[in-house]
Structures are given as C-alpha cells and as structure tokens.
Amino acid sequence: MNLKELAERLGLSQTTVSRALNGYPEVGEETRRRVIEQAHKLGYRPNAHARRLATGRSHAIGYVFPSDRSIIIDPIFSDFIAGASDYQAMQGYETLLHAGGQENEMDVYRRYAEMGLVDGIIVQAPHVDDERLGLLDRLGLPYVVHGRVNDSEEGYAWMDIDNRGAFHKAARLLIDLGHTRIGLLNGLENLTYAWHRRQGYEQALLDRGLGVDPAIMFAGLMTEENGYRQALRMLRLRPRPTALLMSSMMMVSGALRAVHELNLTVGKDVSLIGHDDGLPFLNAEGLVPSLTTTTSSIRAAGARVAELLLARIENPEGELPHELWNVDLILRGSTGPAQRS
Amino acid sequence: MNLKELAERLGLSQTTVSRALNGYPEVGEETRRRVIEQAHKLGYRPNAHARRLATGRSHAIGYVFPSDRSIIIDPIFSDFIAGASDYQAMQGYETLLHAGGQENEMDVYRRYAEMGLVDGIIVQAPHVDDERLGLLDRLGLPYVVHGRVNDSEEGYAWMDIDNRGAFHKAARLLIDLGHTRIGLLNGLENLTYAWHRRQGYEQALLDRGLGVDPAIMFAGLMTEENGYRQALRMLRLRPRPTALLMSSMMMVSGALRAVHELNLTVGKDVSLIGHDDGLPFLNAEGLVPSLTTTTSSIRAAGARVAELLLARIENPEGELPHELWNVDLILRGSTGPAQRS
DNA sequence: TTATGATTTGAAAGCGCTTTGGGAAGGAGC
DNA sequence: GCTCCTTCCCAAAGCGCTTTCAAATCATAA
C-alpha cells in the first residue's frame, strides 16, 4: 500500500493525501478525517526512504564507537544510549549505531554526512583534545557532546555533569572526616570526565594543604579487576590509605574484594566512595554497608543530550546549549571518620 | 556532489557512471578506471536514501528492545550488539537500534517492515513462547533468533549456545566432587536460556538420584544485588548448600560478597561456578581464587548471528540455519571437593 | 563490402514521497 | 451583476539513484 494507491482509493490526489497526513492546514477537515481513517484502516505507512529522499532529512541520529574496543565495553554506554534512544523514538527519530568494522571513526562521520544517513551525531566520551568536533563542524553535521573537550566550553554544544565538583565534594568530605591519605581509582585520563575528576580530587587535597601522592592514584580501564588489583596494591602500602575514591561501580566491586581479603572493615578501616551512574544491575544501596556515592543517572543524561540534539536539528540557528548538571553526594554507610593508624 | 554532477564532469551518462561504480561488467575497463578515480578524487558518495529507494533494499539490520526496561539494562546485550554491529559494518550494513519509546515491540517490527527501514531483524532474548516469530513471518521480514523458542527447533533460523549442556556439565562436576546440595542462581525463567540452564541443572541432579529443592533455586534479574541476597539466604540454610551455580558474572560478584560476609572460603566451604559471557569489565580469571566457569563469548555470538542473518537476506531461499555452540567448562580455583558438614 | 555479433554507452522510466505553483469552487463585498 | 478573497484540491516537478531497453561503435567473418 503506497501513497498512490491510497490516493486512488480515496478518489483524491497524492498531494492532498500527503498533506492531510502530514498535518498541513490547506486541507478540508472532512477530507482530512476521511484520509486519516482510511490510511489507518488500510495500514498505510509512508516509505521511509522515499520520504527521506524528498525531504532531505533522515530522521536518524548516529552513535559511533571507536573501532578500538575499549569504549563500548563500558556498560555505561548501553544505558546512556537506552536513555537517548528512548527519547528519540518518542520524537520519531531512529538510532543508528556504528561499532567496529574496519572503518575508522572519522571516516564513519564523513560517510554519514555525505550519504545523508543521519541528521545529527551524539559525541561520546570526548577526550581531552578531541579532533572530532572540527570534522563535524566542517561537515556541517549538527552534534551535541556528552561531556566537554579540554577546558573550552564555548563554540560547541555540550551537556556534562560536574565531575570536577563531584570529586571535589567527595574528597572534601573524606578530608573533613580526618582522612589524609585518599586513594584515587580513576578512568583513563585522556577522557575528559576522568581528567576532571582528578582535578576535583587534587584541588580538594591542595585546598587543605594535603599533598598529592602518585602512588595512590590510578588511571585505567574501569574493570572489576583493576578495582581489585589497585585497591589491593594501595591498601598494602604503609602508611595505608584510609579511604578510596573510585570512578565506577565496577571498580568499587573489585575494591570490595580487596578490602575483604585484607580483613579490613568498610567504613571503619577504610572509607569508600564511588561514582554511581545508576546502572540497574549494580546497586550502590544494596551493598553492605551501603555505599556513599556521587550519583548521576547516565540514562537521564542520554535522554537529555538527545533532546538537546533534536532541538539543534530543528533550529540550527539557536544558541549552542551548555548544560552542566550538579552531581549529588549521597552519604551512606561506607564512609566514616579516619582511624588513627 | 551527486551522480549527475559527477557524470557531467566525466562527460558520461549517469547510467555508465553508476554501473562503473557498482561493478557491473558492461563497462569498459578504461572508463571504469577513470570513473572510480574521479569519484574518489571528488569525494562522491551515493545518497543512501536514493539508493535505497531505487533498490528497495535498506542495508540495515534492526534490534528492538522491549519498552520494558529490564532487558537492555543487561550489560551482555551491549557486547552482543558490538559483535554483531562490527560484522555488519564490515559487510556494509547499518545497525538500527530501537529502545523504549511509547511504541510496543511488535508495533516497531510492523513499522520497520512496512516502512522498509530494515532488511532483517535479530531477535533477542526469546522467551519460552515467543509471539514475535509469527509476526515476523507474516511480515515477511527475515530474522535470526539468538537463542531458541521453547523446545521447537524447526521452522525458524536460530543460533544458540548449549545452555542445557553447559549447566548439566557444571552440575555434574559439582556432584562428582561430592556436592549434594547445589544452589542455582538463574535468570528469569521465561527466557529460554534460563529455562534451559535450569533443565540442565535439574537433569544432572536427577541423573545421580539427587532431589531438586526449590529452596535453593532462584530465578530473577541477574543483578549483583540479587546475587548477594540469594547467596546469603541460601548459605544460611541448614544443611548449607556447599556449592552455587550461577547464570551471570554479576551474580557471582554479589555472591562473593555474601561468601566473605559469612566468613566462608571459596573452593573449600563453598564451590562456585558461574556462566561467563566474556564481558571485558568483569573477568572470571581475575577473581581470587579464579572462577570455574561455563564460558562462551557473547560478542562472538553476536558476530555469528549477524553473519547468519546477512546470509539469509542475500539468499532467502536457503536452508534455515540451526546452530548450537558447545559451551566449555573451564576448571579453575573456585571449585573443590565438598566438605562434610 | 556488408552482415553479424560483441562490446560500450545513453535516454528515459521508475522507486514513493514532498512541495511548488496554479486553478476551480464558493462566498463576501460592492 | 462583477470582482476579489478564501478554501480546497490537483498536476507535475523534483529528490538522487538504479535499471530497462535501445542505440551506437567496433571488430570480425562471410
């Protein structure tokens, strides 16, 4: 069932039927009613490609993961995309995913733009000096960055959570509790969010005249195993760090093993704070003791970034959005005053 | 730069240029060379939608997640899709993702088919009696199921791992080690894979004349917290189960907490076996002691399912593939002989 | 030389939609 | 009566490709 057939069956022209279905005003109310009713009854669906060809709009958003596999493995991305894709679906936009293949990330963007496959891009996991933005600008492809690039905040659209503030707050809490040796288990620091977290952490230490010790700082893949290994390593140092600040719940999970293995007590011998992206399969509250966290729903972020991007697509001349979300520090049972050693 | 311009610049017709680029034989060698060279030089890319409209093929594969959010949260899906999408990208197929929105899963399939958005579908997480297959058949949309539906294995294309065999093997190993009370922490049993695992587990018990005790069986979301809670509950029963068989690494992670909390020793007081999908952020070998697992790469499965689907699309008349992968039982440190209690 | 066939190329139709530029019908205003 | 708006509808062009069908070119054989 295509437009032509539908029009014939209604005794109308394609023009009128198309207009009626797409809500154009210059069509009689009675006619519109008839058209919509019949379209529904006959199960008419406009062909997506024909429409896209005619309008020049693809009604699709692209997500590109580096062929390098270290990114998509991060489970937070699936939750981010779930949030974004959910919102897009409600707005009639499809979600295009590109993972791997032999093509490199920049080439995929180029292809997307030149073939008209997507109307916009969500840039994931920006690194400290990200060359993707320049390319997208040149291609004229609208985009919104989830996170920020380096410290520049102008000239591109972004939405980010206040990672610096979050880790600053968290570190300060620990310091206020009397901790002076606080370990940091961070993500790869060429990614901006990790870099910001480290800045927040270091600033809090410096604010209170505490030194920064590279021996109790780690930056790497946020796996359970790295959480375990690094926590174990740090907690074996003397003087032992009395608190650990961690960038992901997976690392927390690993760190807990280390803590148990050393027969230490969480919240007493060692205080733990982790960043919680709100992943449903790894719950900070369900731990024993429940975990003090910096919390921000990655899924909500996904939905919001999608919203900003669609707004940019509908209105390219609008102002570039810059949105920084506050991150809550939720006090639970895994933090306590420092013990004297 | 579109085909028309390129043709003009070359002094050829669109027909010839199109043919040259698409590898049709009826074009002079010298001409083809010139065309390809110029196309490359001028950065020509055929418009995706025009091509799709003309050919009636979308060169895209769809993945639909139920609006019910309990599925996509499972981190194994992102790894599965990464594998599939990777393969597709190499073959020139896009990946379309649908998560959430107000539309229900069946309606999305209908829309995909009627609007021509995808050439095929990968059906995820089939339940025991899945109504999706019937719909897809009616829509004439090629698909491959990752997993099986109920116990019927004919009439549809599928690829699955031998979940029943895997858990049978695992349970039998434990029994051979002298365990007689073995707990099962499973996924939701309306999903076929979980149902199969339970069958394998029960069969192994029955084979050796052991009874099945519902008190030490759990089926639910495979979260860390459920792993912890259920392991804790079971290990507090008397007589205490001396082994736990688990459907996911997240559950293992939670169970480990419970074991530590009860001051039990893994591999001695309690043996653990988990199913490992090969997720890169949660490594069975990195645990202490390292974990005995049933192992099968979900990423490899994704790539294979995509391969089967593309083959079906290229050749719809071909035989329906039925592919069952053996699952290895990898013996590591978390299993040992049962202690007498 | 001419007929024959093989090899290359092109004109034009078509994929299914949107949108431009009118045009017919009907009512209001003079 | 006539003109002038509205209101509602339509024919046709166009989006950028692929593909059918026909024609041009060229070498070869009779």
Side-chain angles (χ1 to χ4, degrees):
Chain A
M1 170 63 51
N2 59 21
L3 188 68
K4 192 170 159 197
E5 287 170 48
L6 178 61
E8 275 166 8
R9 197 154 322 192
L10 280 159
L12 290 170
S13 73
Q14 295 188 39
T15 311
T16 305
V17 176
S18 171
R19 281 183 173 135
L21 292 175
N22 291 311
Y24 282 67
E26 59 275 73
V27 96
E29 260 328 303
E30 168 60 15
T31 313
R32 162 165 288 133
R33 213 194 38 69
R34 258 183 65 221
V35 170
I36 292 180
E37 182 193 293
Q38 279 295 306
H40 192 76
K41 190 169 141 204
L42 299 175
Y44 167 73
R45 289 276 171 73
N47 178 289
H49 306 303
R51 167 179 281 176
R52 290 168 176 191
L53 179 57
T55 59
R57 296 270 313 269
S58 71
H59 275 264
I61 301 299
Y63 297 80
V64 181
F65 292 101
S67 18
D68 157 9
R69 306 196 156 180
S70 67
I71 294 295
I72 195 168
I73 62 167
D74 197 325
I76 73 169
F77 282 102
S78 53
D79 225 50
F80 178 90
I81 288 199
S85 174
D86 188 349
Y87 180 83
Q88 288 169 204
M90 290 189 297
Q91 305 298 315
Y93 276 74
E94 305 296 332
T95 305
L96 218 56
L97 195 70
H98 186 99
Q102 75 289 47
E103 221 175 353
N104 91 48
E105 198 176 351
M106 304 284 272
D107 287 339
V108 176
Y109 287 140
R110 229 184 305 267
R111 195 164 55 78
Y112 274 6
E114 287 164 1
M115 299 181 67
L117 273 167
V118 301
D119 289 338
I121 292 280
I122 290 183
V123 176
Q124 304 267 17
H127 4 283
V128 169
D129 195 14
D130 206 307
E131 70 288 4
R132 288 175 291 181
L133 307 202
L135 174 65
L136 290 170
D137 283 332
R138 260 174 285 138
L139 292 171
L141 208 51
Y143 62 90
V144 174
V145 179
H146 177 220
R148 275 165 292 173
V149 173
N150 207 340
D151 273 332
S152 73
E153 308 195 333
E154 296 302 318
Y156 65 99
W158 55 267
M159 180 263 146
D160 199 0
I161 62 173
D162 184 10
N163 285 299
R164 197 186 279 127
F167 269 44
H168 187 272
K169 246 191 287 192
R172 201 179 46 200
L173 167 69
L174 292 169
I175 297 170
D176 288 345
L177 287 169
H179 298 271
T180 54
R181 279 183 68 70
I182 303 170
L184 175 69
L185 273 65
N186 204 359
L188 287 166
E189 288 176 355
N190 60 334
L191 299 177
T192 316
Y193 72 85
W195 171 236
H196 281 161
R197 287 178 187 172
R198 173 171 168 172
Q199 287 181 331
Y201 159 85
E202 289 188 349
Q203 192 57 53
L205 295 176
L206 296 176
D207 285 351
R208 305 297 173 101
L210 295 172
V212 169
D213 180 0
I216 52 174
M217 294 167 69
F218 170 79
L221 290 180
M222 302 189 296
T223 62
E224 198 267 359
E225 190 169 351
N226 276 340
Y228 169 73
R229 285 186 190 285
Q230 294 298 323
L232 199 60
R233 179 182 68 74
M234 292 181 192
L235 294 175
R236 279 179 173 152
L237 295 175
R238 293 296 176 274
R240 185 167 66 212
T242 56
L244 297 178
L245 184 49
M246 285 163 283
S247 255
S248 95
M249 288 298 298
M250 282 313 300
M251 289 184 126
V252 169
S253 192
L256 282 176
R257 282 202 290 131
V259 170
H260 290 138
E261 187 168 326
L262 297 172
N263 280 313
L264 300 173
T265 303
V266 173
K268 210 168 143 235
D269 302 315
V270 55
S271 286
L272 300 181
I273 300 185
H275 181 76
D276 181 9
D277 292 295
L279 302 183
F281 52 85
L282 190 43
N283 183 356
E285 247 181 304
L287 300 180
V288 179
S290 63
L291 193 78
T292 296
T293 57
T294 56
T295 297
S296 182
S297 161
I298 189 88
R299 186 166 197 134
R304 179 56 178 160
V305 170
E307 191 177 353
L308 293 173
L309 179 56
L310 297 198
R312 265 201 80 52
I313 291 171
E314 310 284 344
N315 174 22
E317 303 310 322
E319 281 207 8
L320 293 171
H322 304 317
E323 195 165 306
L324 188 63
W325 282 10
N326 180 48
V327 177
D328 290 322
L329 176 61
I330 301 185
L331 210 64
R332 298 202 187 88
S334 66
T335 40
Q339 309 288 102
R340 344 187 292 110
S341 47
Chain B
M1 170 64 51
N2 59 23
L3 189 68
K4 193 171 160 197
E5 287 169 48
L6 178 60
E8 275 167 8
R9 198 154 320 191
L10 279 159
L12 289 169
S13 73
Q14 296 189 36
T15 312
T16 305
V17 176
S18 171
R19 278 180 179 139
L21 292 175
N22 290 311
Y24 282 67
E26 61 275 74
V27 100
E29 260 330 302
E30 168 59 15
T31 314
R32 162 164 290 131
R33 213 194 38 68
R34 259 182 63 222
V35 170
I36 291 180
E37 181 193 293
Q38 280 294 306
H40 192 76
K41 190 170 142 205
L42 299 175
Y44 166 74
R45 289 277 171 72
N47 177 289
H49 307 304
R51 167 180 280 177
R52 290 169 175 189
L53 179 57
T55 60
R57 296 273 310 273
S58 71
H59 275 264
I61 301 299
Y63 297 80
V64 182
F65 292 101
S67 18
D68 158 7
R69 307 195 156 182
S70 67
I71 295 295
I72 194 167
I73 63 168
D74 197 323
I76 72 168
F77 282 103
S78 52
D79 225 50
F80 178 88
I81 289 201
S85 175
D86 188 347
Y87 180 82
Q88 289 170 202
M90 291 191 295
Q91 305 298 315
Y93 277 74
E94 306 296 331
T95 305
L96 218 56
L97 197 70
H98 187 100
Q102 75 289 48
E103 218 176 354
N104 92 48
E105 197 177 349
M106 304 285 273
D107 287 339
V108 176
Y109 287 140
R110 229 183 305 266
R111 195 165 55 78
Y112 273 6
E114 288 165 359
M115 299 181 68
L117 273 167
V118 301
D119 289 337
I121 292 281
I122 290 183
V123 176
Q124 304 268 17
H127 4 282
V128 169
D129 195 11
D130 205 308
E131 71 286 6
R132 288 175 291 180
L133 307 202
L135 174 65
L136 290 170
D137 283 333
R138 260 174 283 138
L139 292 171
L141 207 52
Y143 62 90
V144 173
V145 180
H146 176 219
R148 275 166 292 174
V149 173
N150 208 338
D151 273 332
S152 74
E153 308 195 334
E154 295 303 318
Y156 66 99
W158 57 266
M159 179 262 147
D160 199 0
I161 62 173
D162 183 11
N163 285 298
R164 197 186 281 127
F167 269 44
H168 187 274
K169 246 190 288 192
R172 201 179 45 198
L173 167 69
L174 291 169
I175 297 170
D176 288 345
L177 287 169
H179 299 272
T180 54
R181 280 182 67 68
I182 303 170
L184 174 69
L185 274 64
N186 205 1
L188 286 166
E189 288 177 354
N190 61 334
L191 298 177
T192 316
Y193 72 86
W195 171 237
H196 281 161
R197 286 177 188 175
R198 172 169 169 172
Q199 288 182 329
Y201 159 87
E202 289 189 350
Q203 192 58 52
L205 293 177
L206 296 177
D207 285 351
R208 304 298 174 101
L210 296 173
V212 169
D213 180 0
I216 52 174
M217 293 167 70
F218 170 79
L221 290 181
M222 301 189 297
T223 63
E224 199 266 359
E225 188 167 353
N226 276 340
Y228 169 73
R229 286 186 190 284
Q230 294 298 324
L232 199 59
R233 179 181 68 75
M234 291 181 192
L235 293 175
R236 278 179 174 153
L237 294 175
R238 291 296 175 273
R240 184 167 66 212
T242 56
L244 297 178
L245 185 48
M246 286 164 282
S247 256
S248 94
M249 288 298 299
M250 281 314 299
M251 288 184 126
V252 169
S253 191
L256 282 177
R257 281 204 288 133
V259 171
H260 290 140
E261 187 168 325
L262 297 173
N263 281 313
L264 300 173
T265 304
V266 173
K268 214 170 140 232
D269 303 316
V270 54
S271 286
L272 300 180
I273 300 185
H275 182 76
D276 181 7
D277 292 295
L279 302 183
F281 52 85
L282 189 44
N283 183 355
E285 246 181 305
L287 300 180
V288 177
S290 62
L291 193 79
T292 295
T293 57
T294 56
T295 298
S296 183
S297 161
I298 188 88
R299 185 164 198 136
R304 180 56 178 161
V305 171
E307 191 177 352
L308 293 173
L309 179 56
L310 297 199
R312 264 200 83 50
I313 291 171
E314 309 285 344
N315 174 23
E317 303 309 324
E319 281 208 8
L320 292 171
H322 304 319
E323 195 165 307
L324 188 63
W325 282 11
N326 182 47
V327 178
D328 290 322
L329 176 61
I330 301 185
L331 210 64
R332 297 203 189 87
S334 66
T335 40
Q339 309 289 100
R340 343 186 295 110
S341 49

